[in-house]
Amino acid sequence: MDYKNIQTICPYCGCGCALNLEVIDGEIVGVLPANDHPVSQGSLCIKGWNAHAFVGHEDRLKKPLIRKNGQLEEVSWNEALKLVAKNLGSIQKKHGADSIGVLTSAKCTNEENYLLQKFARAVIGTNNVDHCARL
Amino acid sequence: MTNSIPEFEDADCVLITGSNTSEAHPLISTRIMRAKAKGAKIVVVDPRTTQMSLLANLHLKQQPGSDVAWINGMMNVIINEGLADDVFIEKRTEGFDELKAAVAEFTPEYVEEISGIPAYDLVAAAKMYAEADAASIVYSMGITQHITGVDNVLSCANLAMLTGNMGRPSTGVNPLRGQNNVQGACDMGGLPNVYPGYQKVSDPDIQAKFEKAWGIRTENGGRKTGSGLLSPVTGLSDKVGLTVTEMVELAGSGEVKTLYIMGENPLMADADINHAKKCLKNLDFLVVQDIFLTETAEIADVVLPGASFAEKDGTFTATDRRVQLVNQAIEPVGESKADWEIINMLAKEMGASGFDFSSPEEIMAEIAALTPIYGGYSYERLKNGNVLQWPCPDAEHPGTPYLHKDKFSRGLGKFHGIEYKAPAESADDDYPLTLTTGRIMFHFHTGTMSRRAEKLNKEVPEAYVEIHPEDAIKVGINGHKRVTVSSRRGEIELATRVTDRIKPGVVFIPFHFAEAAANALTNSAFDPVAKIPEYKVCAVKIQTTADPVLEVCNESYKSKN
Amino acid sequence: MELIQIQEDFEPKVVAFLCNWCSYAGADNAGISRLQSPANILPIRVMCSGRVSPEMIFRAFRSGADGVMVLGCHIGDCHYINANHRTVKRMPLLKNLLGYVGINPERFTLDWVSSAEAPKFARVTKSFVNTVRELGPIAAEMSVEPIFVTDELVNLAAEELVGV
Amino acid sequence: MITEIRDKVAEQLEKLDGIVALRSTEDGAAPYLFQQGDNLEELVMNPRYPLSKTASKLQKRFKDAKLGVVARGCDVRALVEMAKRNQIDPDRLVVIGVTCTSEEAEFCFCAEPAPNLDQWSGSTLIGEPVPGAPPNPIVAEYAQIPYAERWAFWKAQFTKCHKCFGCRDICPVCFCEACALEDPLWVEPGLLAPDFPMYHLIKAQHMTTRCVGCRQCEMACPADIPLTVLYDLVRQDVAELIGYVPGADINEMPPFTLTLADAAIESDLVY
């Protein structure tokens, strides 16, 4: 028996409203606004109030997928990562680093964006890094 | 944003253009409404009637793509009426004469011809804006997503500098960023030309700094590790990379072989997605890392399951440069993993060093060490509800609520004289309507998240096209609820909403719906500098979809007569 | 002067929710008895006045009704024993609420008409229609404009355009 | 007073499975289920959240748990209304009532700042009860405002509405799974601002016999709409016309509930 609220930031638009995710026994059951936040001040829009709705959706990807015979099939992390590493490596060797492009994400955290662009620049060796800010 | 969100409340005038603020940034519109309640004047320039325009003091309906014209027109009025801030222009700016010459021909009457904004409205708006003590400009994608996007943005900056509305609270030019961390993704170097903190890749000193920090050039000159999978990177590239629009294009021509996409859905978000799909299918290898099987993931070779915002720690940077902590609420579902863990694992798999992070907090420490504007950030400081807006160069710095206080980042603010250019595609006889796209309150971007939220999808379950009654009559939408909208690039079938909220001759389609993706129609012609496609203007035609019941009736009627 | 002219010409639309067991039969009875009741009434048969939810009344006003009446069984005569107790508690609250947002509460009425009371039906409808007629069209008061134009309005606009 | 509350919670935790209260941490303050071993220094009384809803959620999920709740006057009234509607099991809930200060009461125009715990067995009251604050002056003046002005006022207010459903979601007595506000029959979906007056009249009508005057809807409203003016008027009516005060008596059935026992003809039911 465990009930707590975790304050976090809304995943939708760029306002950066804070919201509380209501968690009972490791399951998100709802959203409460955050009263002491300087921007949202205890209010949310309809997207914020429903920010948790997609998290537990049945469509969520739960295992890595690899295309085999034209179909995406569930595989282990190990197999998926090995394949990605192998193919990225061989393409980089064969066609040069600039034949690889990397899209970072406006939906991921700063840390993840940093890490991915570091990966692109320091490991692959290309500045082909962009994200959907233009879109 | 040059200023911060709470500051809107104290503005005396807010000029909103190209932003459906109350739907796309609801909690920012709250502040603007509060400003209005305190007596501020609100001016909305938008081809559609939006909630903000209903609440505004003045609503100007411009023809999509005519932004440079009306902004130049406003500046023309301001200069001629003597409302320009001469002191500010003198002390803080340069190039005023160039601007003056450029806007001279944009008389209100000439602007009316181009943009359809009545001359007297334009004069009134210019006065409202220029006479206010503290006036904010708020814009969003309606300004940037044009082939003249950069010109539009520079025009907004011209307008703000001309009236001295810069570097003070409640003023400034405030682009509202559309995604929770699009600001952060830019700050973190998710751009082809800069490292984290907008440090140019072409600058040798910066390059050396990152080479050292990332262990690419060690003391004895060589790279530390390598698994043999890759050709070792012996130095960071100083070549500016490709933008997303170029990557897609070059994927089509075969120069780009592989894309690694983290948490993006270009096959919904790109302009002219039919073409984009063709290009991406041409790739040798496509990796997508996402939380759902998006339209892009469906054609990928490998899909890696990421964790959602509720399942990881980290930071997001809001539109007003406010870095905030994201806290993990639950364990990742299934075998999904936080995206930083995935990249860590992949980098290690490839034999790279420098990816031994055990928590986002450690990554933030590295970011702070390498990024001057993020220099003062640490999780320790961000806890306790601290609000820190970058630039925040050191651990004592209190953050920067508004930019350009005493000087611009380049020193003096530069006026740019800007010529009006027509959009890449205008309505003609074959495609007589102008399509503009945008967001609605109840959905978000490509709909990957919001369309899976039951309550949001219930509000607007399907795509629709907003059309003015006059056009509806011309098209013959009479009892027909479904229509086919087509452009030179594709066609979609969707429902209609006949409404006088839109300008005659213009139609609006929200782009959230995969089954009727507005971006199948949009034009991928892009701004030459920013490479932003022109989502907001393209020519379309609308035809009523055949009604099967009606056809049967007609057939039987014909056969009897 | 002109305004008064309009008011005199004005024929209100009145939505009447009639209970199947009493007032609806009462209306029938009034017809059979050749008692004149105003043609402004748009009757909607419901199984009980207690079934009329506030949402229905709001929607009637939203759809342009100038007045709404609810006619049910006398207290004690309800076909469902006591269902109209709910009506009698709910409707006065609703009537006041209409007033609070600025819809004149006179535009709403609740009354009891049994199936035998054909004359009463004629009387209450006539008097209510007269009341509403004097209040004038609701559109003038409420300025409710449809946000999304319906097909009918498009047709109307089409006719106008053709006329021009 | 806060130490007294914490001591009481510590004492009650010996007997109870958990106590719902607000917890303030470095991330912010929000409802939390305190259990034995938790740091009670984190227990606070501000800001306000719909604790009755939290308690209801937890009671439904943990069917045998005996819980407690640290509640203000409005929270207790909400618990009473929820209990009447079978959303709270009063036998499994112990209330630690806390009185509001007179400033807090004034801010909320609260007529009953001290929780009424007569009907909650095993409950305790902490703090000195203060007298009720005077009602919102606008409510008294409202009768003088002509209808057209009222309409214009609310129209202007509700044009700002974002349709966030926050007033409903934060409401401590709203719990229906199928909400009339989401029914396309009554409120056309997908419009912004939502259809006036349908959305807001339905909301107000649904508050008639429920609203306990906690004012959280108004505080959660991103458009700063003075919702409680409307709800206060409605509450006043309910008290005057049908003599019902939400949250006052746990044994009194909500007035729109019909039972056969109620079938006897009541002479005062004359309209």
Side-chain angles (χ1 to χ4, degrees), chain C residues 127-150:
Chain C
S127 93
F128 183 66
V129 168
N130 282 338
T131 313
V132 176
R133 189 178 285 122
E134 270 165 38
L135 289 172
I138 196 162
E141 204 172 291
M142 281 174 42
S143 65
V144 174
E145 61 282 342
I147 301 166
F148 287 99
V149 186
T150 59

mmCIF file of all heavy atoms in Angstrom, chain C residues 127-150:
data_model
loop_
_atom_site.group_PDB
_atom_site.id
_atom_site.type_symbol
_atom_site.label_atom_id
_atom_site.label_comp_id
_atom_site.label_asym_id
_atom_site.label_seq_id
_atom_site.Cartn_x
_atom_site.Cartn_y
_atom_site.Cartn_z
ATOM 1 N N SER C 127 -50.908 31.470 -21.737
ATOM 2 C CA SER C 127 -50.360 32.548 -20.902
ATOM 3 C C SER C 127 -48.834 32.550 -20.948
ATOM 4 O O SER C 127 -48.201 33.602 -20.968
ATOM 5 C CB SER C 127 -50.888 32.441 -19.470
ATOM 6 O OG SER C 127 -50.000 31.706 -18.674
ATOM 7 N N PHE C 128 -48.255 31.357 -21.029
ATOM 8 C CA PHE C 128 -46.791 31.323 -21.080
ATOM 9 C C PHE C 128 -46.275 31.895 -22.396
ATOM 10 O O PHE C 128 -45.313 32.668 -22.419
ATOM 11 C CB PHE C 128 -46.281 29.889 -20.882
ATOM 12 C CG PHE C 128 -44.780 29.796 -20.855
ATOM 13 C CD1 PHE C 128 -44.061 30.389 -19.823
ATOM 14 C CD2 PHE C 128 -44.072 29.142 -21.854
ATOM 15 C CE1 PHE C 128 -42.678 30.319 -19.788
ATOM 16 C CE2 PHE C 128 -42.694 29.075 -21.826
ATOM 17 C CZ PHE C 128 -41.999 29.658 -20.787
ATOM 18 N N VAL C 129 -46.943 31.541 -23.481
ATOM 19 C CA VAL C 129 -46.524 32.063 -24.784
ATOM 20 C C VAL C 129 -46.639 33.584 -24.784
ATOM 21 O O VAL C 129 -45.765 34.296 -25.302
ATOM 22 C CB VAL C 129 -47.335 31.423 -25.923
ATOM 23 C CG1 VAL C 129 -47.113 32.179 -27.232
ATOM 24 C CG2 VAL C 129 -46.957 29.972 -26.092
ATOM 25 N N ASN C 130 -47.714 34.092 -24.163
ATOM 26 C CA ASN C 130 -47.861 35.544 -24.091
ATOM 27 C C ASN C 130 -46.733 36.183 -23.286
ATOM 28 O O ASN C 130 -46.167 37.212 -23.672
ATOM 29 C CB ASN C 130 -49.204 35.908 -23.458
ATOM 30 C CG ASN C 130 -50.327 35.754 -24.473
ATOM 31 O OD1 ASN C 130 -50.082 35.786 -25.678
ATOM 32 N ND2 ASN C 130 -51.537 35.553 -23.992
ATOM 33 N N THR C 131 -46.390 35.525 -22.185
ATOM 34 C CA THR C 131 -45.283 36.048 -21.374
ATOM 35 C C THR C 131 -44.011 36.125 -22.198
ATOM 36 O O THR C 131 -43.316 37.142 -22.201
ATOM 37 C CB THR C 131 -45.030 35.109 -20.164
ATOM 38 O OG1 THR C 131 -46.265 34.806 -19.565
ATOM 39 C CG2 THR C 131 -44.096 35.724 -19.171
ATOM 40 N N VAL C 132 -43.725 35.031 -22.888
ATOM 41 C CA VAL C 132 -42.478 34.982 -23.654
ATOM 42 C C VAL C 132 -42.519 35.992 -24.799
ATOM 43 O O VAL C 132 -41.520 36.638 -25.104
ATOM 44 C CB VAL C 132 -42.218 33.557 -24.181
ATOM 45 C CG1 VAL C 132 -40.985 33.521 -25.057
ATOM 46 C CG2 VAL C 132 -42.070 32.594 -23.026
ATOM 47 N N ARG C 133 -43.707 36.142 -25.395
ATOM 48 C CA ARG C 133 -43.825 37.094 -26.499
ATOM 49 C C ARG C 133 -43.464 38.495 -26.013
ATOM 50 O O ARG C 133 -42.771 39.252 -26.683
ATOM 51 C CB ARG C 133 -45.237 37.066 -27.063
ATOM 52 C CG ARG C 133 -45.369 37.866 -28.351
ATOM 53 C CD ARG C 133 -46.742 37.804 -28.936
ATOM 54 N NE ARG C 133 -47.040 36.532 -29.574
ATOM 55 C CZ ARG C 133 -48.068 35.742 -29.230
ATOM 56 N NH1 ARG C 133 -48.859 36.086 -28.243
ATOM 57 N NH2 ARG C 133 -48.274 34.618 -29.867
ATOM 58 N N GLU C 134 -43.930 38.806 -24.826
ATOM 59 C CA GLU C 134 -43.608 40.128 -24.279
ATOM 60 C C GLU C 134 -42.116 40.274 -23.982
ATOM 61 O O GLU C 134 -41.549 41.359 -24.114
ATOM 62 C CB GLU C 134 -44.416 40.378 -23.003
ATOM 63 C CG GLU C 134 -45.737 41.044 -23.295
ATOM 64 C CD GLU C 134 -46.679 40.954 -22.117
ATOM 65 O OE1 GLU C 134 -46.193 41.073 -20.970
ATOM 66 O OE2 GLU C 134 -47.882 40.734 -22.347
ATOM 67 N N LEU C 135 -41.488 39.164 -23.566
ATOM 68 C CA LEU C 135 -40.049 39.241 -23.269
ATOM 69 C C LEU C 135 -39.231 39.434 -24.545
ATOM 70 O O LEU C 135 -38.099 39.897 -24.493
ATOM 71 C CB LEU C 135 -39.591 37.969 -22.562
ATOM 72 C CG LEU C 135 -40.088 37.805 -21.128
ATOM 73 C CD1 LEU C 135 -39.723 36.424 -20.613
ATOM 74 C CD2 LEU C 135 -39.515 38.870 -20.219
ATOM 75 N N GLY C 136 -39.806 39.064 -25.678
ATOM 76 C CA GLY C 136 -39.083 39.246 -26.942
ATOM 77 C C GLY C 136 -38.184 38.075 -27.260
ATOM 78 O O GLY C 136 -38.052 37.144 -26.467
ATOM 79 N N PRO C 137 -37.545 38.129 -28.434
ATOM 80 C CA PRO C 137 -36.712 37.003 -28.847
ATOM 81 C C PRO C 137 -35.496 36.827 -27.932
ATOM 82 O O PRO C 137 -34.910 37.807 -27.477
ATOM 83 C CB PRO C 137 -36.276 37.371 -30.270
ATOM 84 C CG PRO C 137 -36.550 38.821 -30.409
ATOM 85 C CD PRO C 137 -37.582 39.210 -29.411
ATOM 86 N N ILE C 138 -35.160 35.591 -27.701
ATOM 87 C CA ILE C 138 -34.051 35.312 -26.775
ATOM 88 C C ILE C 138 -32.723 35.741 -27.393
ATOM 89 O O ILE C 138 -31.797 36.133 -26.677
ATOM 90 C CB ILE C 138 -34.034 33.820 -26.387
ATOM 91 C CG1 ILE C 138 -33.158 33.641 -25.148
ATOM 92 C CG2 ILE C 138 -33.547 32.945 -27.534
ATOM 93 C CD1 ILE C 138 -33.388 32.361 -24.440
ATOM 94 N N ALA C 139 -32.658 35.695 -28.709
ATOM 95 C CA ALA C 139 -31.393 36.032 -29.375
ATOM 96 C C ALA C 139 -30.967 37.453 -29.043
ATOM 97 O O ALA C 139 -29.784 37.731 -28.846
ATOM 98 C CB ALA C 139 -31.525 35.858 -30.876
ATOM 99 N N ALA C 140 -31.968 38.352 -28.934
ATOM 100 C CA ALA C 140 -31.636 39.734 -28.636
ATOM 101 C C ALA C 140 -31.008 39.848 -27.258
ATOM 102 O O ALA C 140 -30.121 40.669 -27.017
ATOM 103 C CB ALA C 140 -32.898 40.589 -28.701
ATOM 104 N N GLU C 141 -31.457 38.993 -26.363
ATOM 105 C CA GLU C 141 -30.984 39.054 -24.988
ATOM 106 C C GLU C 141 -29.660 38.315 -24.822
ATOM 107 O O GLU C 141 -28.755 38.753 -24.137
ATOM 108 C CB GLU C 141 -32.039 38.373 -24.125
ATOM 109 C CG GLU C 141 -32.077 38.785 -22.686
ATOM 110 C CD GLU C 141 -33.304 38.151 -22.053
ATOM 111 O OE1 GLU C 141 -34.442 38.549 -22.402
ATOM 112 O OE2 GLU C 141 -33.117 37.245 -21.250
ATOM 113 N N MET C 142 -29.595 37.170 -25.473
ATOM 114 C CA MET C 142 -28.474 36.269 -25.197
ATOM 115 C C MET C 142 -27.341 36.373 -26.202
ATOM 116 O O MET C 142 -26.240 35.951 -25.919
ATOM 117 C CB MET C 142 -28.958 34.826 -25.178
ATOM 118 C CG MET C 142 -29.629 34.474 -23.880
ATOM 119 S SD MET C 142 -30.360 32.841 -23.905
ATOM 120 C CE MET C 142 -29.144 31.864 -24.708
ATOM 121 N N SER C 143 -27.626 36.896 -27.354
ATOM 122 C CA SER C 143 -26.641 36.950 -28.429
ATOM 123 C C SER C 143 -25.856 35.643 -28.542
ATOM 124 O O SER C 143 -24.644 35.600 -28.475
ATOM 125 C CB SER C 143 -25.675 38.121 -28.251
ATOM 126 O OG SER C 143 -24.908 37.942 -27.087
ATOM 127 N N VAL C 144 -26.601 34.570 -28.655
ATOM 128 C CA VAL C 144 -25.943 33.277 -28.869
ATOM 129 C C VAL C 144 -25.785 33.072 -30.357
ATOM 130 O O VAL C 144 -26.761 32.932 -31.077
ATOM 131 C CB VAL C 144 -26.804 32.133 -28.297
ATOM 132 C CG1 VAL C 144 -26.187 30.793 -28.653
ATOM 133 C CG2 VAL C 144 -26.922 32.273 -26.802
ATOM 134 N N GLU C 145 -24.565 33.138 -30.828
ATOM 135 C CA GLU C 145 -24.412 32.872 -32.246
ATOM 136 C C GLU C 145 -23.768 31.500 -32.409
ATOM 137 O O GLU C 145 -22.892 31.115 -31.632
ATOM 138 C CB GLU C 145 -23.594 33.954 -32.958
ATOM 139 C CG GLU C 145 -22.187 34.165 -32.509
ATOM 140 C CD GLU C 145 -22.099 34.971 -31.219
ATOM 141 O OE1 GLU C 145 -23.092 35.644 -30.859
ATOM 142 O OE2 GLU C 145 -21.046 34.892 -30.584
ATOM 143 N N PRO C 146 -24.258 30.746 -33.397
ATOM 144 C CA PRO C 146 -23.661 29.427 -33.593
ATOM 145 C C PRO C 146 -22.205 29.590 -34.005
ATOM 146 O O PRO C 146 -21.882 30.464 -34.818
ATOM 147 C CB PRO C 146 -24.487 28.819 -34.729
ATOM 148 C CG PRO C 146 -25.152 29.963 -35.389
ATOM 149 C CD PRO C 146 -25.272 31.058 -34.388
ATOM 150 N N ILE C 147 -21.342 28.770 -33.454
ATOM 151 C CA ILE C 147 -19.932 28.896 -33.757
ATOM 152 C C ILE C 147 -19.620 28.177 -35.061
ATOM 153 O O ILE C 147 -18.981 28.707 -35.937
ATOM 154 C CB ILE C 147 -19.087 28.334 -32.606
ATOM 155 C CG1 ILE C 147 -19.420 29.080 -31.345
ATOM 156 C CG2 ILE C 147 -17.607 28.461 -32.929
ATOM 157 C CD1 ILE C 147 -18.918 28.428 -30.103
ATOM 158 N N PHE C 148 -20.121 26.970 -35.171
ATOM 159 C CA PHE C 148 -19.934 26.247 -36.417
ATOM 160 C C PHE C 148 -21.244 26.244 -37.173
ATOM 161 O O PHE C 148 -22.251 25.758 -36.683
ATOM 162 C CB PHE C 148 -19.432 24.836 -36.147
ATOM 163 C CG PHE C 148 -18.015 24.866 -35.727
ATOM 164 C CD1 PHE C 148 -17.677 24.787 -34.393
ATOM 165 C CD2 PHE C 148 -17.018 25.053 -36.653
ATOM 166 C CE1 PHE C 148 -16.366 24.867 -34.003
ATOM 167 C CE2 PHE C 148 -15.701 25.130 -36.262
ATOM 168 C CZ PHE C 148 -15.374 25.043 -34.934
ATOM 169 N N VAL C 149 -21.233 26.820 -38.341
ATOM 170 C CA VAL C 149 -22.454 27.032 -39.102
ATOM 171 C C VAL C 149 -22.977 25.692 -39.601
ATOM 172 O O VAL C 149 -22.229 24.888 -40.141
ATOM 173 C CB VAL C 149 -22.155 27.963 -40.285
ATOM 174 C CG1 VAL C 149 -23.427 28.324 -41.000
ATOM 175 C CG2 VAL C 149 -21.449 29.198 -39.802
ATOM 176 N N THR C 150 -24.242 25.455 -39.390
ATOM 177 C CA THR C 150 -24.813 24.183 -39.831
ATOM 178 C C THR C 150 -25.143 24.249 -41.310
ATOM 179 O O THR C 150 -25.102 25.297 -41.936
ATOM 180 C CB THR C 150 -26.103 23.900 -39.054
ATOM 181 O OG1 THR C 150 -26.984 24.981 -39.313
ATOM 182 C CG2 THR C 150 -25.845 23.781 -37.582
#
